[in-house]
């Protein structure tokens, strides 16, 4: 099993943290507001701990569960504390109305996070196409991933599997641009008739 540090204390942090603990992983919750980190750790129970903002995360995998506008600043602030870590960026760079992406068309927030992180940090995009309540339900949904380091993706895939979910490798980190676009597509589908009880997935035509 994996040791996980979650930077953030919102709904996605809660959903991932609960599934991680259920899957036998250790979980550290970190938030700029220490009271919120402590409250979430207590709510999760099962040995979840609250970390100290700015200190080196205890987890080998660091889940970046903040608003997208804070993703690069947080990674820059942590700096060398993220060296040799796997950072999983779950954010979506939506504009104010979630009708478009708020990053240049030739990049992604995940690539921007990678540029801000230490050279030894391996950034993997994952979980961004899942609504928090879909994650919290614990159904075996697909988790799309993108990253440049094969071993880092394998580690994240094993973590995803421990949650009872299905890892789907989409390719190198440049594919994060399309995963962020896929989440925007999902928002459009949700708003135009399908509702928010949906997730994007792979249909293998009865092959599994």
């Amino acid at each position: 099993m994996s040791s996980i540090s979650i930077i953030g204390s919102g709904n996605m942090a809660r959903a991932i943290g609960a599934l991680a603990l259920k899957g036998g992983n250790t979980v550290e919750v970190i938030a700029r507001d220490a009271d919120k980190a402590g409250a979430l750790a207590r709510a999760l129970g099962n040995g979840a701990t609250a970390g100290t903002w700015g200190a080196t995360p205890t987890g080998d995998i660091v889940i970046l569960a903040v608003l997208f506008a804070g993703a690069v600043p947080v990674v820059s602030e942590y700096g060398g504390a993220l060296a040799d870590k796997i950072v999983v960026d779950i954010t979506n760079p939506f504009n104010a109305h979630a009708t478009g992406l708020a990053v240049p068309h030739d990049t992604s927030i995940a690539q921007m996070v990678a540029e801000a992180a230490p050279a030894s940090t391996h950034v993997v995009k994952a979980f961004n196409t899942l609504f928090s309540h879909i994650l919290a339900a614990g159904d075996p949904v697909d988790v799309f991933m993108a990253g440049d380091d094969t071993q880092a993706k394998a580690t994240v895939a094993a973590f995803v599997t421990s949650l009872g979910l299905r890892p789907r490798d989409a390719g190198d980190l440049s594919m994060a641009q399309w995963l962020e676009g896929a989440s925007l597509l999902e928002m459009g589908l949700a708003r135009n008739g399908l509702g928010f009880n949906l997730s994007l997935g792979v249909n293998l035509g009865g092959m599994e």
Side-chain angles (χ1 to χ4, degrees):
M1 296 299 105
S2 301
S3 59
I4 308 299
S5 291
I6 303 174
I7 300 179
S9 58
N11 291 335
M12 286 293 286
R14 180 180 297 269
I16 293 173
L19 288 177
L21 289 165
K22 184 179 179 181
N25 305 282
T26 63
V27 173
E28 175 190 48
V29 180
I30 305 168
R32 197 180 293 275
D33 185 329
D35 290 339
K36 289 184 177 180
L40 179 53
R42 289 191 297 272
L44 290 172
N46 296 313
T49 61
T52 301
W53 182 266
T56 300
T58 61
D60 297 321
I61 299 175
V62 179
I63 310 290
L64 191 60
V66 298
L67 296 176
F68 99 87
V72 170
V74 166
V75 169
S76 297
E77 181 177 346
Y78 265 79
L82 297 177
D84 301 316
K85 301 287 187 181
I86 297 171
V87 171
V88 179
D89 169 38
I90 73 169
T91 67
N92 279 311
F94 294 158
N95 64 19
H97 302 289
T99 56
L101 298 179
V103 294
H105 71 277
D106 58 348
T107 191
S108 64
I109 193 67
Q111 289 167 286
M112 295 166 70
V113 163
E115 291 168 0
S120 62
T121 303
H122 301 299
V123 175
V124 176
K125 187 78 181 185
F127 293 102
N128 74 296
T129 60
L130 292 167
F131 297 119
S132 61
H133 66 280
I134 297 295
L135 262 179
D139 294 326
V141 293
D142 289 338
V143 178
F144 298 107
M145 309 183 308
D148 289 335
D149 187 84
T150 301
Q151 185 55 54
K153 283 195 292 185
T155 299
V156 174
F159 169 62
V160 169
T161 300
S162 80
L163 307 185
L165 310 178
R166 294 185 295 247
R168 305 295 193 188
D169 190 345
D172 64 28
L173 197 61
S174 68
M175 289 299 293
Q177 175 186 2
W178 306 108
L179 293 185
E180 292 167 9
S183 187
L184 187 64
L185 168 65
E186 190 174 40
M187 289 292 291
L189 292 169
R191 285 172 163 171
N192 290 280
L194 290 183
F196 288 85
N197 289 322
L198 64 86
S199 64
L200 301 181
V202 175
N203 184 342
L204 296 178
M207 294 174 61
E208 72 170 8

